[in-house]
Amino acid sequence: MIRDGAEALRTAAELAEEFRPGASGRDARRELPRAELDRLTATGLLAVTVPAEHGGADVCAATLAEVFRLLASADASLAQIPQSHFAYVNVLRQQGSPEQQAFFFAEVLAGRRFGNAQSEAGTKHLQDIRTRLVAAGDGSYRLTGVKNYSTGALFADWIPVLARAEDDLLHVAYVPADAPGLTVTDDWDGMGQRTTASGTVELADVAVPAAHVVPHHLTFNGPQLHGAIAQLLHAAIDAGIAAGALAEAADFVRNRSRPWFESGYESAAEDPLLIQRFGELELRRRAADALLATAARAVDAARADLDDDSAAEASIAVAAAKAYAGSAALEIADALFEVSGTRAALDSLNLHRHWRDARTHTLHDPARWKIQHLGRYVLNGTRPPRHGLL
């Protein structure tokens, strides 16, 4: 059990150092991090957002964001796997009945993991959810559909499934991973985040008791932080990728790069042109971290005093952090090769994993729409819409 935020941060920092040496090899071999995820779970870190009244550490958003940034700086795939876990712990916190909260928070405290079965491919748009939750005659439900990009599902004990009921309203059904009719296929072949196992979940008339169904649509009827918290963790992963790429670039230049013959210096690390470029990249990294911290504080402030204004400010702050961190991760991961030279491009070194991870993760949702909401907010005072991506 982790008891407070300080312990959570110490644990995350220790795990990052433990996971870092094997990250490149796992990516190169597409070796799924089962042992590492079990190690992460065993520390109690996946239970840190369980409310205090249910026995959890109930850490603030600022702490949780830093936990994800630290883990992603070591292994962006590994950090991505529990993102949905925390999102669906938060769903229970917001809309779970007292009985549901007591049951599922106890599961999380016991080391059970939540996966994710949310997105669907081939539909009209992201929120065109076609998975159906149909009432059965005995008060339970039947669940049918196909989900894609199901990060965490392969490693989960419970798979939260986003579905529409017969009234077309969104619900989340928490389904045990071994439920009859549920199949998880490891068919993820993304160029980046290769070891997240973000494959396919198929649901063929899966039985779900009413006690495991949460009315997620109610989340968006008033001020909410569901989207802001989920997106904050995505921003933290991007900031972590940026930090990891910059650290590896600096190590390479210090220890492996040759100085350019015109520089007149004995080592590449003394070249003033390279020093200048590293300074520019460090500014980008620090700015990404600062925006992430600002966004996390806005989320915590809104949680303490939630209304339309505080929720809007939190969503806008997170949108800014996510848009900036994504671009910083891409720039720094690309610049790694610019500053390191030809040897850095050797496939055997696998330094391109940082760029592949950044490019893949930043496709989760378009930054251009976040910038649109920023512009509308600052120019016209238009609050961002209530949905799970802001």
Side-chain angles (χ1 to χ4, degrees):
M1 288 288 293
I2 289 175
R3 297 299 177 183
D4 56 33
E7 186 180 355
L9 292 176
R10 288 195 302 272
T11 302
E14 291 166 2
L15 287 175
E17 292 310 305
E18 184 177 323
F19 296 155
R20 193 183 314 278
S24 178
R26 288 191 295 272
D27 174 89
R29 299 184 295 271
R30 196 178 180 272
E31 180 181 295
L32 299 183
R34 295 182 185 276
E36 290 75 17
L37 191 58
D38 286 344
R39 173 83 175 98
L40 172 64
T41 306
T43 66
L45 204 56
L46 296 186
V48 294
T49 59
V50 171
E53 59 267 29
H54 289 275
D58 205 2
V59 303
C60 64
T63 294
L64 188 62
E66 180 63 6
V67 165
F68 270 77
R69 192 194 68 82
L70 288 167
L71 293 175
S73 73
D75 186 336
S77 286
L78 185 56
Q80 180 66 44
I81 292 169
Q83 190 272 340
S84 291
H85 169 91
F86 284 101
Y88 284 104
V89 169
N90 192 47
V91 167
L92 289 163
R93 183 172 188 144
Q94 299 306 312
Q95 299 301 336
S97 68
E99 295 77 16
Q100 288 172 326
Q101 290 178 349
F103 175 76
F104 282 112
F105 290 153
E107 286 286 282
V108 174
L109 289 169
R112 311 287 189 266
R113 293 191 289 256
F114 292 163
N116 144 55
Q118 179 169 299
S119 295
E120 299 177 14
T123 56
K124 185 177 180 180
H125 52 70
L126 187 67
Q127 293 195 335
D128 180 19
I129 302 297
R130 300 182 183 180
T131 298
R132 291 291 152 178
L133 188 67
V134 178
D138 59 359
S140 66
Y141 293 89
R142 312 297 292 193
L143 192 58
T144 301
V146 177
K147 297 290 188 176
N148 307 92
Y149 316 118
S150 301
T151 304
L154 193 68
F155 312 105
D157 300 289
W158 291 91
I159 301 178
V161 180
L162 189 64
R164 293 194 183 275
E166 292 162 288
D167 55 10
D168 212 38
L169 295 176
L170 281 174
H171 291 70
V172 174
Y174 289 75
V175 182
D178 59 356
L182 186 151
T183 304
V184 181
T185 304
D186 178 22
D187 56 2
W188 170 243
D189 65 348
M191 66 174 181
Q193 295 197 299
R194 296 182 65 211
T195 62
T196 59
S198 301
T200 301
V201 171
E202 297 179 74
L203 304 131
D205 200 33
V206 175
V208 184
H212 294 174
V213 176
V214 176
H216 188 39
H217 60 94
L218 297 178
T219 301
F220 307 102
N221 287 349
Q224 53 82 35
L225 297 172
H226 174 76
I229 291 171
Q231 287 289 300
L232 181 70
L233 302 187
H234 283 302
I237 291 169
D238 287 338
I241 293 172
L246 186 57
E248 192 140 19
D251 180 73
F252 195 96
V253 170
R254 282 193 300 265
N255 297 302
R256 307 186 71 166
S257 291
R258 296 181 296 178
W260 184 244
F261 70 94
E262 292 179 286
S263 73
Y265 289 92
E266 291 298 315
S267 71
E270 297 175 283
D271 184 338
L273 297 181
L274 280 178
I275 289 171
Q276 176 71 20
R277 186 61 175 132
F278 270 96
E280 294 167 350
L281 297 174
E282 175 67 358
L283 278 175
R284 288 282 266 159
R285 185 199 66 79
R286 285 175 179 261
D289 288 356
L291 282 170
L292 179 68
T294 297
R297 288 194 298 270
V299 170
D300 284 326
R303 178 180 283 170
D305 186 17
L306 185 62
D307 59 22
D308 284 330
D309 290 332
S310 64
E313 181 57 36
S315 288
I316 288 297
V318 171
K322 179 66 172 66
Y324 192 90
S327 65
L330 286 167
E331 179 183 346
I332 293 171
D334 179 71
L336 185 158
F337 300 98
E338 169 198 335
V339 297
S340 300
T342 307
R343 289 182 67 197
L346 294 176
D347 194 54
S348 59
L349 296 177
N350 199 25
L351 293 175
H352 47 66
R353 73 184 184 282
H354 300 291
W355 184 88
R356 290 187 288 103
D357 285 341
R359 182 67 282 176
T360 302
H361 185 249
T362 53
L363 298 176
H364 182 272
D365 53 283
R368 58 186 176 272
W369 274 99
K370 299 184 186 304
I371 294 170
Q372 277 283 311
H373 292 304
L374 283 164
R376 293 171 183 174
Y377 186 71
V378 70
L379 183 60
N380 299 316
T382 304
R383 295 189 185 108
R386 294 170 180 162
H387 60 61
L389 294 169
L390 273 173

